Amino acid sequence: MAQFSRRHVLGLGVGALAATRLAPAFADNGGKKLHGLSAFGELKYSADFRRFDYVNADAPKGGMFSQLVGAGGSTFNSLNAFIVKGDRANGMELTFASLMARAFDEPDAVYLLAAEDLTVSPDRLVFRFQLRPGITFHDGSEITASDVAFSLTTLKSKGHPAYASVLRDLADATVEDKRTVQLRFQPTRGLDVPALAAAMPIFSEKYYSKRSFDETSLEAPLGSGPYRVARFEQGRFVEFERVKNWWGENLPVCRGLYNFDILRDEYYRDREAGFEAFTGRNYLFREEFTSRVWATRYDFPAIRDGRVKRDVIPDERPSGAQGWLLNTRRDKFKDRRVREALTIAFDFEWTNKNLMYGSYQRTHSVFQNSDMMARGEPSAEEIALLEPFRDRLLPEVFGPAWIPPETDGSGQDRKLLRSAGELLNAAGWTVKDGRRLNAKGEQFSAEFLLTERSFEPHHQTFIKNLRVLGIDANIRLVDPAQAEVRLKDFDFDIAIARFIFPQIPGSSLRNYFSSDSAKTKGSNNLAGIADPIVDALVEKAVGAQTQAELNYTCRALDRVLRSGRYWIPHWNKASHWIAYWDQFGFPPTKPRYARGTPETWWYEAAKAAKLEQAK
């Protein structure tokens, strides 16, 4: 579903507003019914819209779409995708409906789905939804207001921390009658929270009266969305089948979407095996994440004769942040000077040229390639936010935004390694007999948590430099399930993570940067950031009343986060590399803030027949 599933809450990136026709989303409307919501009050689509602009309303239904989950190295052991326990199966959000659904050509707008109308109180704290008549779960039981209230309160109390942080300011969900539910929010809630809450999945209260919501399970849960789980084999694949005559199929927010009869997600623990399976047509769509493979491996026969197509499509979302997260819960990473030493020891320029075919740009910011990214000197608005903390902030926060130094590209920049060594010395880690020791005589060790061998070369060149500094650095290669557990328990030294914030990040910032999230197992605050200044700026961002205020608040936050050196930034690119067997159709324009597959694509029988003839 086009809703804020756990996947979207954790990291769906959306960008700047692309509105051609604007209608107010939050008016003091005296009870007038609304058709959509957005944080700062602008909607692209009017109340009488028939479909989203990025779909083909006449797309045929049928056929199969299959894809590799991630880039390989993935698995699952649970079909409960909404809790912190277990390794969740991909795509479970497709089996659930929500009050409202996302439009992916707008920054954060949602429009009516299970709800047929909405009214908002003048103070914007009470949202009253009336459900459509006749909407049902997949077993034919009616979706009621009680199910909505149960779902939101359960996600708040028992759901993954990503949900709990968003719903923190949901004061209560009150059932007025069978079809009417009222959501009341705290005055401190971010403007993004009501839309996020309205786009969360609706569960069956009756179903969970006999089951534990907060336990892993391989029983397919009772859903209400356009797909249901049809078949699966733990850790290998999940097939979703389209629900025929689904009640939402012809609503404006769904017309032209969810066109395949079968969606199949394939899981491969080994990235190489996953690639070979694609060349053999064991699955049909692949997004490539490895520059070496993209540059050198897409020359197999089906590419050359046109049976497989290869495209580069734009990614207009903020690119967010990917990098090595340093676990500051561990004593050796508590000193900022240590973290900076490790950061400048990484030679991005050599890595990009020699391992990644020059395909990437260096990432500097957690808000990379967005208006929330700090650039150059701070603005007057940023200074005003930072000034109360001046005596507790480094002078660099008030100067040009910090970026990692550019290396000489040799792979072992001696000047930067000397600087790194001086920082380690100042932090009490000195060299004796080639080993970096603290005052107790303990050697500095650093373990990189990794799940697949294809990323080892990027680590090895970095590890080589760390060993030059006297650090005992190594890789701990584990299976994805074990890595998932260790990340949730914060049981690691250094781990790779990528997170992309929406254009209206708001409350989601708490789950990444707040002191509370640093103590919450399963949160996205892998670095363990626990800084009252960061907390204060996060709350300022959550409470922003305009896009401009949000932007400059996040830029101030960005400066403080960069000064902390909590992560070693990786790289980014503004495109998707995709390849697919030529049996699909798709609209001429993809949604600006999403890839668009498989939701907007469809099966073309004539193309599929040609592929069969060419075997």
Side-chain angles (χ1 to χ4, degrees), residues 291-543:
S291 54
R292 174 185 56 81
V293 174
W294 186 252
T296 64
R297 300 290 300 280
Y298 283 83
D299 61 350
F300 50 91
I303 286 276
R304 293 194 291 269
D305 63 25
R307 287 177 293 150
V308 170
K309 302 295 184 184
R310 192 167 77 132
D311 287 324
V312 178
I313 59 176
D315 183 356
E316 298 180 73
R317 305 168 302 169
S319 59
Q322 177 180 299
W324 286 293
L325 276 293
L326 305 172
N327 188 357
T328 62
R329 300 170 187 84
R330 301 201 162 174
D331 288 340
K332 58 191 167 187
F333 297 123
K334 289 187 181 299
D335 194 309
R336 173 190 173 278
R337 294 168 294 186
V338 169
R339 302 195 295 268
E340 180 166 353
L342 270 59
T343 300
I344 65 178
F346 171 55
D347 194 330
F348 166 75
E349 284 69 28
W350 186 92
T351 303
N352 191 36
K353 178 181 178 181
N354 291 278
L355 299 180
M356 301 189 297
Y357 295 81
S359 300
Y360 293 90
Q361 303 295 319
R362 185 75 189 268
T363 295
H364 302 147
S365 165
V366 295
F367 304 112
Q368 190 74 27
N369 297 337
S370 77
D371 291 335
M372 295 174 284
M373 174 181 172
R375 296 175 174 85
E377 300 282 346
S379 65
E381 293 85 356
E382 293 169 64
I383 292 287
L385 287 172
L386 296 167
E387 190 63 42
F389 312 109
R390 183 180 284 271
D391 62 339
R392 288 181 283 163
L393 290 171
L394 294 170
E396 79 169 50
V397 174
F398 296 88
W402 187 82
I403 60 175
E406 186 174 335
T407 73
D408 61 12
S410 67
Q412 198 170 94
D413 188 315
R414 293 185 178 183
K415 180 180 178 181
L416 288 177
L417 288 177
R418 280 197 299 271
S419 297
E422 291 167 0
L423 285 166
L424 290 168
N425 288 337
W429 291 94
T430 56
V431 174
K432 182 177 181 181
D433 298 328
R435 301 164 68 226
R436 186 71 59 174
L437 308 176
N438 62 14
K440 298 179 182 179
E442 300 165 334
Q443 184 172 11
F444 195 123
S445 63
E447 182 181 271
F448 291 82
L449 187 65
L450 189 62
T451 61
E452 52 181 302
R453 294 193 177 277
S454 63
F455 214 11
E456 281 187 293
H458 306 74
H459 285 71
Q460 292 295 0
T461 183
F462 185 22
I463 286 173
K464 181 180 178 182
N465 282 348
L466 296 180
R467 288 175 175 168
V468 168
L469 293 170
I471 295 172
D472 179 22
N474 60 81
I475 293 172
R476 173 72 65 179
L477 188 67
V478 301
D479 64 54
Q482 185 180 352
E484 182 82 4
V485 171
R486 289 186 61 174
L487 290 175
K488 288 175 181 177
D489 290 340
F490 307 128
D491 180 20
F492 65 92
D493 281 351
I494 305 172
I496 295 173
R498 186 186 182 203
F499 40 93
I500 304 173
F501 294 108
Q503 184 67 18
I504 316 297
S507 56
S508 63
L509 294 171
R510 292 171 177 150
N511 192 41
Y512 286 87
F513 304 131
S514 73
S515 297
D516 284 344
S517 67
K519 298 176 289 186
T520 303
K521 288 188 176 183
S523 82
N524 288 323
N525 190 348
L526 295 180
I529 300 168
D531 180 346
I533 299 175
V534 170
D535 292 341
L537 291 173
V538 164
E539 293 308 311
K540 286 282 189 181
V542 170

Side-chain angles (χ1 to χ4, degrees), residues 26-34 118-124:
F26 275 132
D28 293 346
N29 51 31
K32 180 181 177 181
K33 295 178 181 180
L34 299 180
L118 160 67
T119 57
V120 182
S121 64
D123 61 6
R124 305 180 185 182

Side-chain angles (χ1 to χ4, degrees), residues 228-246:
R228 60 163 58 96
V229 175
R231 299 193 306 136
F232 70 91
E233 187 173 329
Q234 181 181 341
R236 293 191 60 191
F237 73 88
V238 180
E239 277 190 6
F240 302 91
E241 64 179 3
R242 186 169 61 86
V243 177
K244 302 299 191 296
N245 300 314
W246 177 55

Side-chain angles (χ1 to χ4, degrees), residues 145-204:
S146 183
D147 294 312
V148 175
F150 164 79
S151 301
L152 292 174
T153 55
T154 301
L155 283 170
K156 179 180 177 179
S157 62
K158 298 181 179 180
H160 189 278
Y163 293 107
S165 65
V166 168
L167 295 172
R168 190 183 80 173
D169 290 329
L170 174 65
D172 57 57
T174 304
V175 177
E176 293 186 7
D177 58 45
K178 192 174 184 180
R179 289 176 50 207
T180 308
V181 62
Q182 178 180 279
L183 307 184
R184 184 171 62 85
F185 296 92
Q186 303 285 2
T188 55
R189 65 101 176 95
L191 294 182
D192 62 320
V193 171
L196 285 165
M200 288 188 178
I202 300 173
F203 307 121
S204 167

